[in-house]
Amino acid sequence: MKIVDARVIVTCPDRNFVTLKIITSSGVYGVGDATLNGRELSVAAYLSEHVVPALIGRDASRIEDTWQYLYRGAYWRRGPVTMSAVAAVDTALWDIKGKVAGLPVYQLLGGRSREGVTVYGHANAASTDEVLSEIADYVELGYKAVRVQTGVPGLESTYGVGKDRMFYEPADAALPTENAWSTAHYLEHVPTVFARVREEFGPTLRLLHDVHHRLTPIEAARLGKSLEPYHLTWMEDPVPAELQEGFRLIRQHTTTPIAVGEVFNTIWDCRQLITEQLIDYVRATVVHAGGITHLRRIFDLAALHHVRSGSHGATDLSPVCMAAALHLDLAIPNFGLQEYMRHTPATDAVFPHGYHFADGYLHPSEEPGLGVDIDEEEAARYPYRPASLPVNRLQDGTMHDW
Ligand code: GCO
Ligand code: MG
């Protein structure tokens, strides 16, 4: 079964997505997500200029060998553009393998290790009062875990606060919008929010918070300590993760669990964090970390060191990535939690899928393969629109991490 064609499909049903569709000589095809928020066309070009020509004529059943060819075979390897392209090929080949075998992909990964995949939703609001009512909506829908973000008094705009109730899309303009940031205001405010949330919802609802790389290790240590009474499931991305040993300092000071990794692309990006047990959850994803093959390798390393999975699942990861993530989440022994932001109806129509939400859990499709497709006619109705993620400045104008 040879690869006879591969198409890169860019579409914007409310936001941009890049999808790779690989077609084989037997007529069976597979899909893979290649979306990199705000940098979509760079992955599309990497795929169509450098990867697709090398795929034609290859044996579609050789997933590992194709992965090694695209990773080791590229002198300029790693990085988000390259690894999202490799991921798309890998995911599409797993989809094909499942379809040929007549089995859902999780069966090829060893079968289910649990009954469903616990997911968390996003409660984002300008004020604490509003966020409490959003959390109540999620609880009503059956969610067992909620990420909580609010505006910070004294700051006009804050990361994670959507314009729309129950939906949030950070890539909000063709060129980056600018947000303002004050660590002092933020550190004072966040513990007051979680105190109210625990008071209102009691001790068992799982709560999470995303710091979005904005603190230094000692500031993050202070935040972690001040959140200890509210026993969060995790404090996410407390500091930029380039300096992995920086996490030792946070660890020495707080028992608040730490989740990191949505911007990681390879096992090398998280090796030290995992092997030194500096984090509790690794948030790498199928699309940005080299596909099912490589993410499985990361999770296996994590399992040896008491680190669980907590994959990124924002709306910029397409339903194709979400479908793939769910198969892996269901199979691995060290699953932790899966982010699930819910796509819009237009996105769902472009990507028909069989996974579904029930009572706080997502369940992958039982169809052979990934159980997700792309409707190319529907996709063609939504041409690409440039959209960028914001940038962040301190109140004196200094550029800060977003
Ligand atoms: C999350 C993320 C998102 C990112 C977005 C960037 O935890 O879901 O931090 O909110 O900002 O996915 O593309
Ligand atoms: Mg995040």
Side-chain angles (χ1 to χ4, degrees):
M1 198 182 48
K2 297 231 178 298
I3 297 173
V4 292
D5 193 12
R7 286 203 282 281
V8 181
I9 304 155
V10 181
T11 178
C12 186
D14 295 330
R15 60 153 306 103
N16 292 313
F17 295 106
V18 181
T19 309
L20 179 71
K21 180 168 177 173
I22 295 182
I23 299 130
T24 66
S25 47
S26 68
V28 175
Y29 66 88
V31 288
D33 183 20
T35 308
L36 184 60
N37 203 4
R39 296 288 183 271
E40 293 87 0
L41 298 187
S42 49
V43 188
Y46 190 96
L47 278 169
S48 44
E49 297 299 319
H50 308 293
V51 175
V52 167
L55 289 179
I56 308 301
R58 246 165 217 288
D59 180 349
S61 69
R62 293 178 63 168
I63 298 180
E64 180 67 42
D65 181 63
T66 304
W67 195 95
Q68 298 294 338
Y69 178 86
L70 294 173
Y71 181 83
R72 287 175 196 266
Y75 187 64
W76 311 108
R77 62 198 188 191
R78 304 171 61 182
V81 174
T82 307
M83 296 308 287
S84 300
V86 175
V89 174
D90 184 79
T91 308
L93 294 182
W94 276 102
D95 191 20
I96 291 168
K97 199 174 273 306
K99 285 177 177 171
V100 170
L103 292 171
V105 167
Y106 75 81
Q107 293 289 11
L108 305 180
L109 298 170
R112 61 171 72 229
S113 288
R114 56 197 51 78
E115 301 312 316
V117 172
T118 311
V119 296
Y120 70 90
H122 280 211
N124 316 303
S127 69
T128 305
D129 284 335
E130 289 168 75
V131 95
L132 292 176
S133 104
E134 275 198 31
I135 298 168
D137 292 344
Y138 279 102
V139 171
E140 179 72 27
L141 288 168
Y143 281 79
K144 314 262 183 288
V146 185
R147 179 184 107 155
V148 180
Q149 309 289 133
T150 69
V152 175
L155 290 182
E156 265 181 34
S157 56
T158 302
Y159 157 74
V161 177
K163 296 189 183 79
D164 207 79
R165 195 178 161 85
M166 306 289 281
F167 283 101
Y168 161 63
E169 200 54 77
D172 56 3
L175 284 174
T177 49
E178 298 214 352
N179 292 338
W181 180 252
S182 156
T183 298
H185 285 66
Y186 170 78
L187 288 177
E188 282 303 311
H189 181 61
V190 177
T192 70
V193 175
F194 281 92
R196 293 272 312 276
V197 176
R198 276 292 174 225
E199 213 177 274
E200 186 96 5
F201 294 93
T204 56
L205 180 66
R206 296 177 73 178
L207 300 174
L208 304 87
H209 179 69
D210 190 348
V211 185
H212 226 254
H213 326 270
R214 291 177 178 205
L215 302 177
T216 64
I218 201 70
E219 290 163 352
R222 174 182 152 196
L223 178 65
K225 265 185 131 146
S226 63
L227 292 175
E228 277 170 22
Y230 316 115
H231 42 94
L232 269 57
T233 292
W234 75 49
M235 164 171 84
E236 177 176 331
D237 287 334
V239 298
E242 288 95 335
L243 186 73
Q244 298 194 15
E245 57 266 42
F247 284 78
R248 284 191 202 128
L249 196 144
I250 310 176
R251 267 315 213 207
Q252 281 157 11
H253 289 283
T254 180
T255 57
T256 296
I258 300 172
V260 176
E262 65 183 50
V263 299
F264 289 171
N265 314 120
T266 71
I267 201 164
W268 304 103
D269 297 334
C270 41
R271 188 189 60 84
Q272 187 179 6
L273 292 177
I274 290 173
T275 57
E276 286 192 34
Q277 300 179 41
L278 299 177
I279 58 174
D280 301 277
Y281 296 88
V282 58
R283 281 180 48 73
T285 63
V286 170
V287 55
H288 301 136
I292 292 173
T293 299
H294 193 64
L295 191 55
R296 174 83 201 228
R297 215 150 268 159
I298 293 176
F299 289 159
D300 282 344
L301 178 69
L304 301 180
H305 298 89
H306 303 287
V307 176
R308 283 178 281 180
S309 75
S311 286
H312 190 202
T315 41
D316 46 297
L317 287 67
S318 89
V320 176
C321 178
M322 183 54 71
L326 294 176
H327 288 281
L328 199 48
D329 290 340
L330 201 67
I332 57 172
N334 56 329
F335 169 75
L337 203 55
Q338 170 68 53
E339 182 178 16
Y340 176 49
M341 261 172 87
R342 292 170 301 121
H343 290 105
T344 65
T347 299
D348 286 340
V350 169
F351 298 99
H353 53 264
Y355 62 79
H356 64 279
F357 175 89
D359 194 29
Y361 300 94
L362 274 177
H363 301 274
S365 165
E366 291 295 329
E367 293 289 305
L370 295 174
V372 63
D373 207 345
I374 181 162
D375 180 334
E376 292 189 66
E377 266 178 38
E378 190 68 13
R381 292 179 50 214
Y382 302 103
Y384 169 78
R385 282 198 317 251
S388 298
L389 290 166
V391 295
N392 204 21
R393 287 186 191 276
L394 301 182
Q395 287 171 310
D396 70 358
T398 307
M399 278 299 298
H400 196 61
D401 297 292
W402 185 77

